[in-house]
């Protein structure tokens, strides 16, 4: 039999179907529809809650081998990109498919920095939030609000318009992120300084006070660049899937990015970095690690920053983040939480529960410890994730729009509710205590 096809025998009807295999390993779910017991049947569907084994697209952006712990953007290993590139260089690679020449990179950096300013009304919009508002809630809403400032962004089928919105979003997300931070503190917003690199300018917008020009520490700026590179894309994760799903209705990229950021904010996804720090605080000291691990094994909570749908090996990003932590701690002084985190990793990786389930530290396990050492508050951690991930979301959104096979994303369901029922008038209904 052909390696590129599968023969399915339906024992109910004794019919046989040849089903082609896509790219050597996937069958098209629509081919299952041919499998019927009677001609008027709907045909077979696949059932896959949480997309455990369903590819929703063919993508050329990011490759992950979760068993081997491999991550590549456009074919380049993450380790090399993190060591040798700047963030905007990697952003260019992710978006356009190739590493830029020096000239292309200059033009690209110029393009992005042209778009770092926010419309003044956006500041007023942010002022409406309470000082206690979570920065991620402010970030999501403000990104969505940009859609009202750039109505031309609705022109999603126009490649030039798409390019403009991509530049706007990548330029503006650090400014929005920094403004949410300044807002929480009641500090005045700091305008972007376009002479600085992407990361150094972000530091400027976070931390400049009365000095005429912000001097970014180059080690911290480089560490931020590395963290941004590591977070830039991760194929079809929950937030990227959201970006594609919302984008498939041809909504504009600002609201799509806001929706993706909303998906990122959950504690099982990008919100995990915030939860890791809360967990380390709760553990409190190294000697209390074994008791905490026992509690998790007994079913009380999860080890935040551990486990991954795709990685069943050490997350390569976690390894690079650990190395980056050393350079940051030389400048900032250590973070006592690191000791607890290292002990937690050691205990978990020797424990049968975590070993048998292939649960390893993921990207979120160490990132928060570095951010905290830099002076970034815990509530900002997921916003720090959203800044670089905007690049991945936009690249995936573009790929989706340009893919002739993609249509509005609309899954099927298996209906398990009532069959047709007789209507009951209100005076004859009995209470089922469904509503409070
Ligand atoms: N701590 C303890 N046990 C865990 C953990 C964890 N962090 N993660 C998974 N498990 C257990 C599950 O309870 C399950 O055990 P069982 O087989 O006895 O039922 C088994 O490992 C398999 O886990 P699933 O929940 O089926 O794995 P899934 O792929 O659905 O979930 C997820 C992946 C959501 C990341 C999960 O590992 C988790 O909740 N981790 C903690 C949150 C976290 O760190 N999220 C960030 C992920 S990285 C990112 O999104 C940027």
């Amino acid at each position: 039999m052909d390696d590129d096809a599968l023969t399915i025998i339906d024992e109910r009807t004794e019919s046989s179907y040849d089903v082609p295999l896509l790219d050597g390993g996937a069958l098209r779910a629509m081919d299952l529809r041919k499998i019927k017991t009677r001609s008027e049947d709907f045909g077979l569907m696949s059932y896959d809650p949480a997309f455990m084994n369903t590819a929703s697209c063919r993508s050329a952006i990011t490759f992950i081998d979760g068993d081997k712990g491999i991550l590549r953007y456009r074919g380049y290993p993450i380790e090399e990109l993190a060591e040798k590139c700047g963030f905007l260089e990697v952003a260019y690679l992710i978006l356009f498919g190739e590493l830029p020449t020096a000239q292309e990179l200059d033009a690209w950096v110029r393009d992005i920095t042209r778009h770092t300013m926010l419309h003044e009304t956006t500041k007023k919009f942010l002022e409406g939030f309470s000082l206690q508002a979570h920065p991620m809630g402010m970030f999501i809403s403000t990104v969505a609000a940009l859609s009202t400032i750039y109505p031309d962004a609705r022109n999603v089928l126009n490649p030039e318009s798409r390019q403009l919105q991509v530049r706007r979003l990548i330029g503006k997300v650090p400014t929005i992120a920094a403004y949410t931070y300044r807002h929480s503190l009641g500090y005045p917003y700091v305008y972007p300084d376009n002479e600085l690199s992407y990361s150094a300018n972000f530091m400027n917008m976070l931390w400049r006070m009365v000095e005429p020009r912000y001097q970014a520490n180059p080690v911290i700026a480089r560490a931020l660049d590395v963290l941004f590179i590591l977070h830039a894309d991760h194929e079809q994760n929950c937030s990227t899937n959201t970006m594609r799903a919302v984008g498939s209705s041809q909504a504009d990229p600002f609201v799509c990015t806001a929706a993706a950021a909303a998906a990122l904010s959950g504690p099982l996804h990008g919100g995990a970095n915030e939860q890791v720090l809360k967990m380390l605080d709760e553990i409190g000291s190294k000697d209390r690690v074994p008791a905490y691990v026992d509690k998790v094994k007994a079913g009380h909570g999860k080890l935040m920053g551990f486990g991954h749908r795709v990685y069943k090996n050490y997350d390569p990003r976690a390894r690079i983040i650990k190395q980056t932590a050393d350079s940051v701690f030389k400048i900032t002084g250590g973070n006592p939480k690191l000791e607890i985190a290292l002990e937690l990793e050691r205990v978990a990786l020797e424990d049968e529960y975590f070993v048998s389930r292939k649960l390893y530290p993921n990207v979120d396990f160490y990132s928060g410890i570095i951010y905290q050492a830099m002076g970034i508050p815990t509530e900002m951690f997921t916003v720090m994730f959203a800044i670089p991930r905007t690049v991945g979301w936009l690249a995936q959104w573009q790929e989706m729009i340009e893919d002739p096979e993609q249509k509005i994303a609309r899954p099927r369901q298996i209906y398990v509710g009532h069959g047709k029922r007789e209507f009951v008038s209100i005076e004859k209904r009995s209470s089922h205590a469904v509503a409070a």
Side-chain angles (χ1 to χ4, degrees), residues 268-269 272 302-303 305-307 309 353 357 359 362 364 385:
L268 298 188
H269 190 15
K302 281 182 169 176
L303 219 53
F306 257 73
R309 172 63 59 79
Y353 176 96
R357 289 169 177 78
L359 300 170
N362 59 48
D364 287 326
F385 192 153

